Amino acid sequence: MKLYLVRHAQSEANVLKTLNTALPGPPLTELGREQAAALAGRLADEPVRAVYASFATRAQQTAAPVAAVFGMEVQPVEGVHEINVGDLEDRADHEAMKSFAAVMHSWTQGDLDVPLPGGESGSEVRARYEKAVADLRAKHEAADSDGVVVLVGHGGSIRLAAEWLCDNVLPELADSSLIPNTGIVELESTDSGWHCLSWVGTPV
């Protein structure tokens, strides 16, 4: 079974360069809608068995064209939303970005108890994301072992999840390799967990 962790297309908050994580969040821009359509085209020949997305508007709107290609509905899933940044919500200033990056760095280095100010700790993000992926694996692995499950989510939480889930994603990769809009981190299930096959098109 393969799991494609896909970052949503360009949202209005991306244009403003704000830390926007509260649900349901802003919609896609016109460019974002074009990116979502292009993503659907890129995946059209893949053996996609199901399309999931976080409850965020931008994730749902990105997943919709992909699901439509395969005659499916987007299935919303709990636990894969973006990191709750708390007091940093909707900020775009240097200090906010510096604070967010510092906490992300701590998490990739294994210190998961450090919280964002007024927001989540790494332990909380890890617990919810790993549960969501475990539930999807239990649902699909036996029936869809030769297929692809698409999960549209968010750049920050995908970077962290890939490190926590996979046996070959190093902290340095999760910490520094930003995922562009509609970028894909491709995972494959193993006996012991997950293995990352590629990070935005680059083999890992």
Side-chain angles (χ1 to χ4, degrees), residues 103-139:
V103 173
M104 282 282 288
H105 177 73
S106 296
W107 293 351
T108 61
Q109 300 304 309
D111 189 356
L112 304 185
D113 292 331
V114 177
L116 283 156
E120 288 184 291
S121 69
S123 297
E124 291 170 324
V125 178
R126 182 169 186 168
R128 63 172 169 81
Y129 210 108
E130 287 188 340
K131 180 184 184 304
V133 170
D135 289 347
L136 293 183
R137 180 171 180 166
K139 181 177 179 180

Side-chain angles (χ1 to χ4, degrees), residues 106-184:
S106 296
W107 293 351
T108 61
Q109 300 304 309
D111 189 356
L112 304 185
D113 292 331
V114 177
L116 283 156
E120 288 184 291
S121 69
S123 297
E124 291 170 324
V125 178
R126 182 169 186 168
R128 63 172 169 81
Y129 210 108
E130 287 188 340
K131 180 184 184 304
V133 170
D135 289 347
L136 293 183
R137 180 171 180 166
K139 181 177 179 180
H140 288 282
E141 188 168 35
D144 304 317
S145 60
D146 60 343
V148 171
V149 172
V150 175
L151 175 56
V152 180
H154 307 268
S157 55
I158 289 173
R159 285 162 53 198
L160 293 165
E163 178 190 352
W164 295 333
L165 291 168
C166 298
D167 58 10
N168 63 326
V169 174
L170 299 177
E172 292 75 18
L173 179 61
D175 194 25
S176 62
S177 297
L178 302 181
I179 301 170
N181 293 118
T182 70
I184 300 173

Side-chain angles (χ1 to χ4, degrees), residues 36-61:
L39 172 67
R42 283 160 51 197
L43 296 178
D45 294 329
E46 298 279 351
V48 172
R49 308 297 189 228
V51 179
Y52 294 89
S54 84
F55 280 85
T57 299
R58 57 194 181 276
Q60 294 284 320
Q61 290 179 334

Side-chain angles (χ1 to χ4, degrees), residues 4 168 173 184-187 195-204:
Y4 288 179
N168 63 326
L173 179 61
I184 300 173
V185 175
E186 181 182 355
L187 311 187
H195 184 79
C196 185
L197 298 176
S198 67
W199 189 287
V200 195
T202 301
V204 176

